[in-house]
Amino acid sequence: MADDRELLCLSDSMEEEDDTDTDQWKNEGMKKNDPPSHDDSITKVAASVQSGVSEVQAEDGPDGCIPSFSRDSGDEESIEKVGNSIFYVDNQQESPSDENRGQLNMLSAAYESLDYDTCVNAAWLDEERTKGYTFVVKKDVARWLVVLMTAVLTALVACAIDITIEVLSKFKYTWLKTYTDYGVEQEALIIPYLLWVALNIGPTLVAAFLGSYIEPEAAGSGIPQVKCYLNGVKVPRVVRIKTLVAKAAGVTMSVLGGLAVGKEGPMIHSGAVIAAGVSQGKTTSLNHDFGFFEYFREDHEKRDFVSAGAAAGVAAAFGAPVGGVLFSLEEGASFWNQALTWRVFFGAMMSAFTLNLVLSAYNGVPGKLTYNGLLNFGKFEDLTYEIWEFIPFLLMGVMGGLLGALYNFINFKLTALRMRYITKPWQKIAEAVLVATTTASVAFLMIYGLEDCRKIEPKPEEGPNDRFPIQMFCNDGEESAVAAIWFQTPEKSVRSLLHDPSKSFEWVTLSVFFVCYFFLACWTYGLGIPSGLFIPTLLCGAAWGRLTGKLMTLLFPGHSWLNEGKYALVGAGAMLGGVVRMTISLTVILMECVGNITFGLPLMIVLMVAKWVGDFFNEGIYDMHIQMQGVPIMGWDAPPLSNNIYASEVLNRPVVTLRTVEKVGRIVGILKSCTYNGFPVVDSIPTAEEARNFKSYGTLRGTILRSQLTVLLKHKVFNENAQVWENSKVDIHLFRQSYPRFYTLREVDLTDDDLECTIDLRPFHNPSPYSVVSCTSLPRIFNLFRALGLRHLVVVNDSNEVVGMVTRKDLVKYRIWKHRGQMGLEELVIYGSVR
């Protein structure tokens, strides 16, 4: 019933030998986890219901039920093995130990699921009957309006971030250039070094404070969180305004801090937050309801707008509307339809157009739409290729896959260490400061130790104040090529490696820079700061790609088709593909950034090869971080060779059911004693013998959610409360007003008389829930959950009597592992929380 039903049911069935110990253990757990009640009468009812449930759970179940465990006397911890899974009994199941955190074989029961399945009850049908087709047209127009507003706001946020970084970066690098030249003349290079460290630490402290103390969900790129949300997992605080502010301000400070980060990835998260906020017409963070778009206050409508917001973020970041749509389809949304595709494309297109319009006006050329996105690869004059060049392209794809797998492996180990030892906010801030200091030190040592001088040549696309040439130990009229890479934002460094003339960088410069920046990027991603990995990965790939171009020039001198920038572009794509493992969307994004469709075939081949090679060793970086957090995300397909697993083996029981007309006291007792989020509604409660033998729990009449019950209790929608019904306050708006933060029992004030009242659940429950028989195979159940976005699935017998419930975690815990050409089915360990 609840998303964590499997955890509770396992716990309930682990101690079946001694009924007394079982009841005592459950009551202790209830006292520890549940908040104190404000009403003694509610507590008494909860205790009585809990006692009844415990009595039922103390009996052994038939074959196909959840395996039972017995406690080993005298041991503090009992560990049982079932198949390939190890279950930690008692308190060890509540939270993994420090040495087990950061593993890939754990699921957290702390994550709830979203209710994508619409509850078509009598209240919902009344609204549809009374408003008719006019309401349908109104909602459709409103959807387009919400997408347009999301696109414009996302583009404006992107412009604000970009302009702020550009303005403040000029101040930063102007000071550094002035004091570096002064330090060279006075032979006091310690002055520019300390200034550089200070200018890195200052903004990094702000970013780390925002990502550690203000809003931890703003840390990172946000793409894994958005992906989980669109998959149906309720990630706390992922789409709040507070998260947006911390994300936008934090990523600005992260880039200004000189870290190996980018601002493009966080734009996807920002667009998702904006879409979620606009579509609801209210903000729970500021506790203000604007009174519009109330009919979109449900999970499946909000999900579609978040998909459009993510696409708008991609379009604003890369100037790639089509790539944004494909990104939402490939990496984001788990549920899709044709009408949504048109709206998402419209939003992505308007986002790119708005950003282009604003940035062109800011740069003094209003109406000249040449600023397609935050990342601009620049224009390639001649981007052609010969057929035999596919051989080096394929080899570069292999190299990108190997380096991407190495990047993910190193970052996996670092993230596991962070999850075990760097858990407090001040520790995260200290690590971010250490990384900022190390980055400045590495850059300064490279500039000081590598002598790579080149002539200062003005670039037509840059103004006089856009470059900060550092002479260092070079002759007059020359600049340090190493400093040219570091004394600018990472986006401009990528453009330099793609377009600077041949022989602009020496072999040793590119080699040392690639090695240093590769490990800095690995270390930086996962810090408690808002950051993205697109730009650092592209920069690493462009560095070794340009090295490949220099090698080709050395092997085949004098050929007109040789272009170091072309190989830098291929290397950038191969490296990024090897890390994130995207193919279709990434190909289109790179093509739209380059503006050359003829080079799409080499990019496609390189990205496919990089993905295949990388997948041979490990998962993509986003999937890896999702698994390390224990998020129960559902894959695209059911585990193969699982048709011999049936609903009777994955269901959970005993099942707590409600009657169609139920007593308020029993409802309150159930909500206090259970954490379940959905309850089957039956015609009658089973007898003690039926429940004890797991025969059935009553004939199925529907299902009702915990959130619906708390709303009914809050507003006292009782059969005996005629005043509520006479005022016509009982309709679908009653439930939309409290969305998405529904009431808790703490907010429900009931008297002893109220507990004796009854509630008719028939107008509010879902009378036609999805159900399967106990012999249904796991792939068929999986397809229902995946295609329909289900949260609960009722298992019935031939007489339509409830025999169990299946939730998302019951399916997600079965996962296929793939490693070095081998694969197998594993059953994951479920913990109360994974931190």
Side-chain angles (χ1 to χ4, degrees), residues 32-111:
K32 179 179 68 174
N33 297 325
D34 289 347
S37 174
H38 61 275
D39 194 316
D40 293 338
S41 60
I42 295 180
T43 305
K44 293 177 182 178
V45 175
S48 63
V49 174
Q50 178 66 20
S51 176
V53 173
S54 300
E55 180 182 353
V56 172
Q57 293 168 343
E59 298 295 330
D60 292 336
D63 294 338
C65 190
I66 299 175
S68 61
F69 301 89
S70 61
R71 176 182 294 181
D72 296 332
S73 59
D75 293 341
E76 292 183 6
E77 173 182 313
S78 178
I79 302 177
E80 298 287 344
K81 186 172 183 181
V82 178
N84 295 325
S85 301
I86 297 177
F87 296 94
Y88 292 82
V89 184
D90 298 340
N91 293 332
Q92 284 299 315
Q93 195 178 9
E94 291 301 319
S95 179
S97 57
D98 289 338
E99 61 270 15
N100 288 329
R101 289 199 182 101
Q103 299 300 315
L104 301 177
N105 62 338
M106 297 188 300
L107 287 180
S108 173
Y111 289 99

Side-chain angles (χ1 to χ4, degrees), residues 216-225 247 251 265-266 269 525-532:
E217 282 300 324
S221 65
I223 295 178
Q225 291 92 325
K247 175 75 73 174
V251 73
H269 190 187
Y525 187 73
L527 291 176
I529 59 172
S531 61

Side-chain angles (χ1 to χ4, degrees), residues 193-270:
Y193 168 70
L194 294 178
L195 178 63
W196 199 342
V197 171
L199 291 177
N200 272 22
I201 290 178
T204 301
L205 275 174
V206 178
F209 180 79
L210 291 172
S212 300
Y213 280 100
I214 302 301
E215 186 50 72
E217 282 300 324
S221 65
I223 295 178
Q225 291 92 325
V226 173
K227 185 175 180 179
C228 293
Y229 183 89
L230 294 175
N231 188 265
V233 181
K234 186 177 182 180
V235 182
R237 306 184 306 275
V238 70
V239 288
R240 292 189 183 177
I241 292 181
K242 185 179 179 182
T243 305
L244 173 63
V245 175
K247 175 75 73 174
V251 73
T252 303
M253 293 295 105
S254 298
V255 176
L256 287 174
L259 301 176
V261 300
K263 58 181 180 290
E264 284 70 21
M267 282 309 307
I268 300 172
H269 190 187
S270 300

Side-chain angles (χ1 to χ4, degrees), residues 502-549:
S502 300
K503 299 182 180 179
S504 296
F505 304 98
E506 297 294 337
W507 290 82
V508 64
T509 299
L510 294 174
S511 301
V512 174
F513 175 78
F514 163 68
V515 173
C516 293
Y517 207 81
F518 178 87
F519 288 104
L520 285 175
C522 287
W523 190 9
T524 304
Y525 187 73
L527 291 176
I529 59 172
S531 61
L533 62 75
F534 278 89
I535 295 302
T537 311
L538 288 171
L539 188 53
C540 289
W544 69 261
R546 196 170 181 99
L547 278 172
T548 306

Side-chain angles (χ1 to χ4, degrees), residues 158-453:
C159 291
I161 293 174
D162 186 63
I163 293 172
T164 304
I165 291 176
E166 182 177 348
V167 172
L168 296 181
S169 294
K170 288 182 179 180
F171 286 110
K172 174 183 178 179
Y173 293 119
T174 299
W175 292 340
L176 284 177
K177 171 178 168 53
T178 301
Y179 282 94
T180 301
D181 293 339
Y182 173 80
V184 172
E185 294 177 359
Q186 302 297 324
E187 296 183 356
L189 289 175
I190 189 64
I191 296 177
Y193 168 70
L194 294 178
L195 178 63
W196 199 342
V197 171
L199 291 177
N200 272 22
I201 290 178
T204 301
L205 275 174
V206 178
F209 180 79
L210 291 172
S212 300
Y213 280 100
I214 302 301
E215 186 50 72
E217 282 300 324
S221 65
I223 295 178
Q225 291 92 325
V226 173
K227 185 175 180 179
C228 293
Y229 183 89
L230 294 175
N231 188 265
V233 181
K234 186 177 182 180
V235 182
R237 306 184 306 275
V238 70
V239 288
R240 292 189 183 177
I241 292 181
K242 185 179 179 182
T243 305
L244 173 63
V245 175
K247 175 75 73 174
V251 73
T252 303
M253 293 295 105
S254 298
V255 176
L256 287 174
L259 301 176
V261 300
K263 58 181 180 290
E264 284 70 21
M267 282 309 307
I268 300 172
H269 190 187
S270 300
V273 177
I274 293 172
V278 171
S279 64
Q280 301 305 293
K282 71 173 184 178
T283 166
T284 52
S285 299
L286 302 179
N287 195 24
H288 183 72
D289 192 339
F290 296 97
F292 51 83
F293 300 142
E294 181 184 322
Y295 33 80
F296 293 145
R297 294 176 186 176
E298 48 191 32
D299 286 340
H300 82 279
E301 290 281 4
K302 192 174 180 180
R303 170 201 68 199
D304 292 345
F305 291 121
V306 170
S307 300
V314 174
F318 301 99
V322 179
V325 176
L326 294 176
F327 176 87
S328 289
L329 177 61
E330 181 181 8
E331 287 294 313
S334 303
F335 317 99
W336 204 261
N337 58 64
Q338 186 178 18
L340 179 61
T341 304
W342 282 108
R343 289 196 298 270
V344 170
F345 178 68
F346 171 74
M349 179 180 63
M350 293 306 300
S351 178
F353 173 76
T354 303
L355 181 132
N356 209 332
L357 193 66
V358 174
L359 289 184
S360 63
Y362 170 77
N363 288 278
V365 285
K368 187 178 181 181
L369 304 181
T370 57
Y371 298 88
N372 296 325
L374 301 183
L375 175 62
N376 187 359
F377 280 168
K379 185 177 181 180
F380 286 84
E381 297 296 335
D382 186 19
L383 196 59
T384 59
Y385 56 93
E386 303 289 334
I387 187 172
W388 69 269
E389 285 187 276
F390 281 103
I391 298 176
F393 290 161
L394 289 173
L395 295 177
M396 292 180 73
V398 173
M399 178 62 72
L402 294 174
L403 290 174
L406 178 62
Y407 182 102
N408 293 354
F409 175 76
I410 296 174
N411 189 263
F412 162 66
K413 293 298 184 181
L414 287 172
T415 305
L417 291 175
R418 289 189 180 110
M419 294 178 69
R420 296 169 191 171
Y421 305 112
I422 306 177
T423 57
K424 298 180 180 179
W426 70 266
Q427 293 174 330
K428 297 179 181 180
I429 293 178
E431 186 191 15
V433 170
L434 178 61
V435 174
T437 304
T438 304
T439 303
S441 302
V442 169
F444 191 84
L445 288 175
M446 283 186 60
I447 297 173
Y448 179 80
L450 297 179
E451 186 175 350
D452 184 3
C453 300

